[in-house]
Amino acid sequence: MLGTFEYFVDQAINGVTLGAIYGLVAIGYTLVYGIIGMINFAHGEIFMIGAFVSIIAFLTLGLLGLTWVPLALLLVLIATMMLTAVYGWTLERVAYRPLRRSPRLAALITAIGMSIFLQNYVQLLQGARNKPLQQVISGGFEIMREGDYVVTLSYLQIFILLLTIVLMVVFTLVIGRTSLGRQQRSCEQDRDMAALLGVNVDRTISLTFVMGAVLASVAGLIFLLNYGVIDFYIGFLAGIKAFTAAVLGGIGSVPGAMLGGLLIGLIEALWSGYFTVEYKDVAAFSILILVLIFRPTGLLGTPDIEKV
Amino acid sequence: MTDIIARPLAGTRPFRLQGALKEAGLAAFVMFALSLALIAVRVEDVPGGLAIRWRPFDVIAAVVLVFLGRLGLAFLRNNRPAPVALASGLFSAVMALLLIVFVSGGGGVSWAQSLLPFSGFVVNVLVLIISLVLTLRAGLMWRRGERADAGTGVGDTMDRLAASVQGVAVYVIPVLLVAAIIFPFLPFADRRILDIAILVVTYVMLGWGLNIVVGLAGLLDLGYVAFYAVGAYAYALLATEMGIGFWLCLPFAGAMAALAGVLLGFPVLRLRGDYLAIVTLGFGEMIRIILLNWYEVTNGPDGISGIPRPTFFGLPFVRSPPEGVESFHSFFGLTYAPVDRIIFLYYVILAMALITNQFTLRIRKLPVGRAWEALREDETASRSLGINPRNTKLTAFGIGAMFGGFAGSFFATRQGFISPESFTFIESAVILAIVVLGGMGSQIGVVLAAVLLIGLPEMFRELQEFRMLAFGAAMVLIMIWRPRGLLAHREPTIRLFEKGAGKR
């Protein structure tokens, strides 16, 4: 069974689903890093808050008697995007904007502090026990069969992949084609010059955080749907892995973040499938170290030219 | 840039109530959106699934308070302190009264409870504190008639304080040192206080160790706890498997940690800044995962227990020593007291920390120390001056790791039990926070930050669940207040002319 192609396909499907989560969170890291050059350590917590808002929205809708799944999913998606976006905006406004011109280490410490704060905030408000949610989308269809071993592609996985692809396309278009995207890219290149040319830098940075939070909240929703159980601590590891994905793909590059997320997801799933589950994180970090040694700017990153 | 232009205008601009209301309204709306999901609803697990509990009153209270608070700040910024002082003073008085009634009634006074804005007691106390601060600030402004935009005096005061701390360091340090030495014999130093003191000094030592890497060499290390863990496990394994004592193990544990530092550093030290940060973070997690899963050696999540305690030159601190061994109290003719061992541990870690400190201060003046600081300031320039960046960084990494390893061995011997639980990322973050909050490169700053971040929360263990919340908030607030650290004031390492020579 372990050697069959079907087993590989099964693991790969899991890996792509996981990669969708990492990729969506990684875009938030890479956007923020590109524009203000800081590791937004609290981004993983935004992802966790997205998952919590989703579970609360599901339960509230269930209480209101709304059980038609497509409509419920749509409403939850909108609710979690909007409410989590407010957290992203507030995070930037309260914790990072006052430090815009400070040493970079100060911003990093604030980010770590914010991450600790948000974790404990959610723990206090929602309790430390993990929250299981019963399956929302069930069923699927068989794509392969080898003896007793059936590879199924569930409707949930199709939903996740479609949602991720749609979001990534939309955000690529926003960054590449709209005036907001142009402003973001101009702030990335030179903030002072952009300000002189009439770009509202503060607003652009705020919107970048909002965009990152929206994507992370969707990742939180996907996490909730896929694993069915969340707790206040899920943001930490997912955040680190997503940041690893962003660095792997080349930090600052949006396609790089997607690629990195996909790769980390695949590595993790295949490693757990063929070797040991316990060391899957070690595998992901080792790949990161190897990539950084041989290609320090990541897979799709452009090297910084160092000027004296 | 914009605030430089906007500041002089702020004072001359007439106060518009409408603008202030709009600002407060926006803040209240944001608070409402923030609280809509996480505060308004609590997910609770009941048999057979999840249930939700509504908390509408907390949301209303939060929104109203944020509105009023923001309005008060807008008034203050526009030099209208009088109404703010009166309103928040009245509010504080009512809150304080309600809290007193509530507490003195043993928590059973239901009318006082229902009048308090929040259901959580500590949250109410927090609201009271914030309101008191607002009252104080507004009251001071009112009395002095000063303007809000006259420049924030606190920041300057801290700058001057930081400068003067360095100026009087010659007098302060001996006093602090003597205080630290006689500390265990002070009347209030009971067992609990001593335990906290040991913890604080352990973090001071870790902070000083990490300061070599972050403060001197400028390498951002987010996985320092890995070396702490290597030191702890090295001692624990050697002691429990081979029966080697603490003092013999100590250098070995340090060497193991330094080796781990060099092994990690060798491939990754050519990375810069954030890449290095994430790789060290990954390394820290890898070490923890390996400790967690390598059952044959580390006993996995169950950890290692029964780690022997250190002895005083072979004299153990026990009531009845085994055959043929004399114990500490009988050798010195004292009566047995369990606190003796704690006091001894305190002195051990104090000595280790002071050695770290002296080592750092002295190595700064050696060529390698100078090379670290040169690399921190400008890698390209130092490379062109013939400094080998990789080897120089490796020494910093290795030496920093070594002190982490020493501290780790001490941790293992103090606890008597270690498990991977003790070496999570949060520990690395705390140690880094101590270094940065204290003011990078400031040795006294590390002590101050360790006392603030470790000592204070330990004193308030009763507020267990709010402890880490306050910890995170404190990190954010201190950084916003003093972005360069509490006692950041860096004297040039070398002066071209002697101090004061240029002034005349």
Side-chain angles (χ1 to χ4, degrees), chain B residues 203-274:
Chain B
Y203 276 95
V204 169
M205 173 168 179
L206 285 167
W208 280 338
L210 184 63
N211 205 5
I212 297 175
V213 184
V214 180
L216 292 188
L219 304 166
L220 184 49
D221 185 353
L222 285 179
Y224 194 61
V225 78
F227 309 124
Y228 189 46
V230 168
Y233 270 88
Y235 168 60
L237 288 173
L238 281 175
T240 52
E241 302 289 319
M242 300 185 190
I244 307 176
F246 176 72
W247 296 107
L248 271 179
C249 273
L250 194 62
F252 189 76
M256 284 288 283
L259 184 69
V262 171
L263 279 183
L264 166 74
F266 198 70
V268 304
L269 276 179
R270 62 198 190 109
L271 303 172
R272 286 188 177 185
D274 300 308

Side-chain angles (χ1 to χ4, degrees), chain B residues 284-296:
Chain B
E285 281 296 298
M286 275 160 77
I287 292 270
R288 195 179 63 83
I289 295 167
I290 291 170
L291 291 178
L292 204 56
N293 292 305
W294 196 9
Y295 287 95
E296 300 79 31

